[in-house]
């Protein structure tokens, strides 16, 4: 059971604050510029949190030309006020008490005042809610607006992602001894997630992937099962932590015992592909060029058919957010983007290899947010943390 | 770190199977009877799982008069076939390969064939998806249809809920030593959730609530924070486990040290209220009468203003599902319903007391699914499990 002496505990108070002050105005500006609208309504927790700092799971937000109103039910009243105050928005965002969900339509109508047209996220609102709100205001889909604004992470956000990445790495270091014959995937996952929580993560950023052996590790989206590690296994570990709403994301691949020449060859190709992908990162670069560079290296090495996914994605309040490094993407990297670079090759019968790091785009390139050793698939010797 | 010898591991294979065989036909019957429809489309994971056994998070399901088709993308192809086979539905449900989400509309149109009208869950589908599908078929909201069918739990489902409840209780027993001065709410939550996973739960059923002291325990929806237990604290622990998709739900309230007469009085009132609520449970009884009985006892004792929520709800694939024991509910209990009974009183400055058990409605009343001691708020002496 717990030994409180080594329990770190969540401590976001030691992190620099997130700059919420300009966000309401940025939403207004973007609404007007892109859609010719003066008002927007949102009900999804990610949007509410990004704009107001509200950490609850249920509520609504209305922004129009003059006001910003956050509606929460009685359960969240105190938390919402604390959150909005912590965000420094007490003078900008009014916290209104909301009745149960059935009254939302009328509350939103009241908050909207004379606005007759209003933006909303069609992809982040149920049809039931959209229909109900449409009885009182003409809704216009503004999908992409908040997702786009959320891309530029400020210092406070970067500090949270970075703290999350540090916690995940420390847990992986502490668990290296378990990456051995006989441990099951699920046992390792449970220990990694337990350690993340004990070291101050609010939760894992996503269900930790521990995928082992010739079949499971060859499936990019295998979770963690009851299979026990065997000599010669490839073990793909995809791990991230959640700190004060923000997520990290990293993957390392290890081999149990000595790598075969075949594994070493593939590992080096993936590592070179990742280096090539990282090498192009900087503001103004297309996200698809990152994927193209990774794909080129892997294809030239003859493993093109084994590269089963895209080279990465943005990370922040959501684990997958803009930009996406897809061959079909038109996204262009900007300063403040936090993105993964994660090429991989997968072959049933042999196993999978993926190497993923998280970086923040800067004016002159990027800074890495993850730094766990990756030179070889052999287990690194690390001081116990 | 992990000691594999005491790791139980998820093991749903030892549980009786869930009877999926009649579900597609039950959906068709209900669609025709209640809505005059022949077809329905769903994209939410709970509906997909209930009908087909599919355990993935993304896909679509179309049922019409002749066919049932589950569409999943390449990542889930093998899992979907395994799940459908495990559910015994290989001859009833076709697994189709789906392209990325952008092609869903056309795939669903193809699966629907000549159906021109089709039901869907407006409250469990985004407006973006609803709009897209509406380009190829006239959608009709059928909210309530699946929720209603899901109420009657079969033996396999009851076994999973029961296993989940047993695991949660065993973890609470094992953690009693931590309910003492100096432990923080979050430390206890982390240990409880770690133990649940080690004992074979797939996850907690919901974020475990550990709410302590005169302020936190007085908030029914407080989660778990960094507050450390002090002498005299009330500690409300609301804990459930997740086993093979199904959830359990139980609350116990303890006092650190000896209870004051005031706490003892309130505890006994809540216990009596819960007994009264349980006492009326049986098929044909209105859900609101359960709340009414609890409320009557608490009000007669003079604590009516401190009873801040309703007496309970159904539990299954979702932690909150039909029926709801609200004063405004028209739900009538049926055999197979799994419901909580959970009155509570909350007073800032003193703290909160909630006692919650989970029961399955049977022909002659109910069977309890939770059995943790609750005679008094003093910590029970239990053999270590």
């Amino acid at each position: 059971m717990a030994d409180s002496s080594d329990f770190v505990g969540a401590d976001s108070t030691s992190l620099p604050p997130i700059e919420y002050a300009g966000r309401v105005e940025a939403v207004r500006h973007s609404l007007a510029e892109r859609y010719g609208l003066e008002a927007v309504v949102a009900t999804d927790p990610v949007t509410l949190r990004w704009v107001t700092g509200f950490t609850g799971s249920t509520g609504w937000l209305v922004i129009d030309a003059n006001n910003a109103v956050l509606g929460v039910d009685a359960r969240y009243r105190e938390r919402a006020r604390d959150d909005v105050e912590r965000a420094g928005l007490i003078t900008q965002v009014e916290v209104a008490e909301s009745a149960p969900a059935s009254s939302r339509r009328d509350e939103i109508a009241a908050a909207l005042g004379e606005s007759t047209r209003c933006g909303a996220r069609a992809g982040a609102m149920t049809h039931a809610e959209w229909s109900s709100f449409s009885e009182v205001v003409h809704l216009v889909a503004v999908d992409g607006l908040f997702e786009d604004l959320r891309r530029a992470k400020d210092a406070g956000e970067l500090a949270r992602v970075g703290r999350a990445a540090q916690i995940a790495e420390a847990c992986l270091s502490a668990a290296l001894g378990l990456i051995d014959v006989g441990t099951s995937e699920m046992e390792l996952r449970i220990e990694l997630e337990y350690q993340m929580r004990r070291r101050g993560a609010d939760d894992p950023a996503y269900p930790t992937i521990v995928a082992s052996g010739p079949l499971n590790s060859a499936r990019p989206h295998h979770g963690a099962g009851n299979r026990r590690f065997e000599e010669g296994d490839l073990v793909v570990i995809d791990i991230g932590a959640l700190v004060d709403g923000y997520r990290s994301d990293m993957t390392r691949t290890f081999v149990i015992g000595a790598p075969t020449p075949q594994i070493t060859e593939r590992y080096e190709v993936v590592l070179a592909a990742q280096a090539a992908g990282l090498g192009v990162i900087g503001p103004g670069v297309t996200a698809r060029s990152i994927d193209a560079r990774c794909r080129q290296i892997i294809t030239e090495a003859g493993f093109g058919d084994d590269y089963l996914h895209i080279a990465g994605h943005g990370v922040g309040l959501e684990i997958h957010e803009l930009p996406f490094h897809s061959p079909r993407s038109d996204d262009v990297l900007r300063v403040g983007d936090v993105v993964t670079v994660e090429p991989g090759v997968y072959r049933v019968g042999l196993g999978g290899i993926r190497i993923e790091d998280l970086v923040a785009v800067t004016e002159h390139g990027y800074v890495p947010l993850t730094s766990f050793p990756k030179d070889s698939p052999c287990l690194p010797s690390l001081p116990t943390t």
Side-chain angles (χ1 to χ4, degrees), chain A:
Chain A
M1 305 306 301
D3 171 1
S4 357
S5 63
D6 67 350
F7 182 86
V8 178
D11 179 20
S12 62
T13 55
S14 66
L15 294 164
I18 296 170
E19 285 294 331
Y20 288 97
R23 292 184 175 179
V24 168
E25 206 46 55
V27 171
R28 285 190 184 119
H29 180 77
S30 189
L31 267 178
E33 286 281 309
R34 293 177 57 175
Y35 301 96
L37 292 172
E38 287 199 339
V40 68
V41 58
T43 55
D44 64 289
V46 167
T47 298
L48 271 52
R49 184 167 193 148
W50 184 81
V51 176
T52 73
F54 176 55
T55 56
S57 60
T58 303
W60 54 260
L61 172 69
V62 166
I63 298 174
D64 66 12
N66 304 307
N67 302 297
V69 185
L70 172 66
V72 299
D73 65 42
R75 290 177 300 166
Y76 285 123
R77 186 176 39 204
E78 290 165 71
R79 190 201 289 200
R81 285 186 191 141
D82 290 349
D83 290 340
V84 167
E85 184 157 356
R86 186 173 69 128
L89 296 178
I90 279 293
T91 60
Q92 278 193 63
V93 175
E94 174 194 347
V95 177
E97 184 148 340
S98 169
S102 53
S103 317
R104 273 196 178 171
R105 184 197 61 186
D106 301 325
E107 293 167 357
I108 285 166
L112 280 168
E114 295 180 5
S115 299
T116 55
R117 297 174 70 237
C118 173
R121 296 180 65 192
M125 184 177 281
T126 65
H127 176 67
E129 208 153 48
W130 185 285
S131 300
S132 169
F133 299 170
S134 293
E135 293 166 10
V136 295
V137 65
H138 179 73
L139 290 185
V140 178
V142 295
D143 292 83
L145 184 150
F146 291 102
E147 292 90 325
D148 188 71
L149 291 172
R150 290 207 326 258
R151 284 178 58 177
K153 273 73 178 177
D154 68 23
E157 293 176 295
L158 291 175
R160 283 156 179 78
V161 176
R163 171 75 61 86
Q166 285 164 5
I167 291 172
E169 290 193 39
C171 294
L172 183 55
S173 296
L176 287 174
L178 282 175
I179 307 177
D180 204 350
V181 174
T183 303
S184 82
E185 295 171 351
M186 186 59 85
E187 284 168 6
L188 180 55
R189 173 187 161 189
I190 290 170
E191 288 300 325
L192 289 168
E193 297 188 349
Y194 174 62
Q195 291 297 334
M196 279 195 267
R197 294 183 174 97
R198 283 175 68 85
R199 287 162 194 260
D202 297 308
D203 258 319
Y206 48 89
T208 308
I209 292 176
V210 180
S212 70
L215 184 59
N216 293 356
S217 78
R219 294 174 169 169
H221 286 270
H222 177 77
N226 291 320
R227 183 181 183 280
R228 293 187 180 280
F229 302 155
E230 298 175 12
E231 186 71 23
D233 274 359
L234 283 163
V235 182
V236 176
I237 300 175
D238 191 337
I239 182 172
L242 175 71
V243 170
D244 198 25
Y246 288 81
R247 296 165 202 274
S248 73
D249 193 354
M250 180 183 80
T251 305
R252 289 294 182 266
T253 302
F254 303 107
V255 68
I256 310 257
T260 61
Q262 194 179 20
I263 285 177
T264 299
E265 182 193 5
R266 285 179 165 245
Y267 190 92
E268 286 174 358
V269 168
V270 174
L271 192 59
Q274 199 215 19
L278 286 166
V280 301
I281 287 188
V285 169
T286 59
R288 67 170 174 270
S289 69
I290 304 168
D291 186 73
R293 282 295 287 142
C294 293
R295 202 170 294 276
Q296 182 187 6
I297 303 284
I298 292 172
T299 302
E300 286 174 3
F303 304 132
D305 289 345
D306 296 349
Y307 178 35
L308 301 180
H309 50 72
I310 67 173
H313 54 84
V315 174
L317 288 171
E318 295 189 283
I319 188 60
H320 296 122
E321 57 179 53
L322 290 176
F324 289 94
H325 317 335
S326 150
R328 294 184 303 277
S329 167
D330 292 322
D331 300 334
V332 175
L333 296 192
R334 305 179 200 149
V335 172
D337 275 329
V338 169
V339 299
T340 69
V341 179
E342 50 175 314
V345 296
Y346 308 86
R347 174 59 59 100
V348 171
L350 177 66
I353 295 166
R354 179 167 68 256
I355 303 172
E356 173 183 33
D357 282 292
L358 192 62
V359 306
V361 179
T362 61
E363 279 183 43
H364 304 292
Y366 67 89
V367 291
L369 298 170
T370 47
S371 62
F372 200 90
K374 61 182 175 184
D375 289 346
S376 100
C378 300
L379 287 166
S381 305
L382 287 171
T384 306
T385 42

